[in-house]
Amino acid sequence: MKQVTRSSRQEKRPAMALRRLLKHSFEVGEEARNRGTVVTVKKVREASSITFDGADKQAGADAKYVILETVVRNETKASMDLTCSLPIVNALIDDQDRRFDSVEDLSGVQGNPECNAQLQPGFKDEMKFVYRVPEDANIVLWEFEEYDLEVEVVPSLVDLT
């Protein structure tokens, strides 16, 4: 089976083909592992607004929010800041193979850990990954990998269909 590397991932591939290429593929409700980072996507939902820093924030015309409600467990050797640093590189992928980044300042999303709330090794915390996408986007995958500059990390995929 061909492994997809960071550089080859950027090539254009239909999301379904990408899913078959990766050996680290998981389903919603399953523990998805990427090295020492373990994420369970509990629920995927869409909304026209989110509560951000205590106020409703609208997605805007022709847009929607996609919210992944997750539990992140830290099985690494060091703490991780889930909302204000980059321990988990992630992207939401639609059926047109478009890749969406999460909204800025995830610490402002209601229910998320505060900025600099270090998730210590051996502990878990609830985390919402929020994305603003076109209203007609058909989301199919969530990709994540543990951030590491020293080694090339193969991403893990969660099938959201």
Side-chain angles (χ1 to χ4, degrees), residues 35-121:
R35 300 178 47 165
T37 302
V38 182
V39 181
T40 303
V41 176
K42 299 186 316 181
K43 184 178 182 182
V44 180
R45 61 185 175 89
E46 297 178 355
S48 59
S49 67
I50 58 170
T51 303
F52 190 81
D53 286 332
D56 277 348
K57 183 174 182 177
Q58 298 295 316
D62 300 323
K64 64 183 175 185
Y65 288 111
V66 176
I67 301 114
L68 275 64
E69 297 179 14
T70 72
V71 174
V72 178
R73 191 171 70 241
N74 182 358
E75 292 186 1
T76 70
K77 302 285 185 201
S79 64
M80 58 173 63
D81 181 351
L82 296 176
T83 56
C84 290
S85 67
L86 191 63
I88 302 174
V89 179
N90 64 88
L92 198 65
I93 304 169
D94 73 0
D95 62 354
Q96 296 178 46
D97 213 26
R98 296 182 293 184
R99 305 170 64 78
F100 301 97
D101 299 325
S102 58
V103 298
E104 287 188 40
D105 300 324
L106 286 172
S107 62
V109 175
Q110 183 178 22
N112 272 354
E114 292 180 12
C115 187
N116 297 320
Q118 299 295 320
L119 181 60
Q120 299 297 316

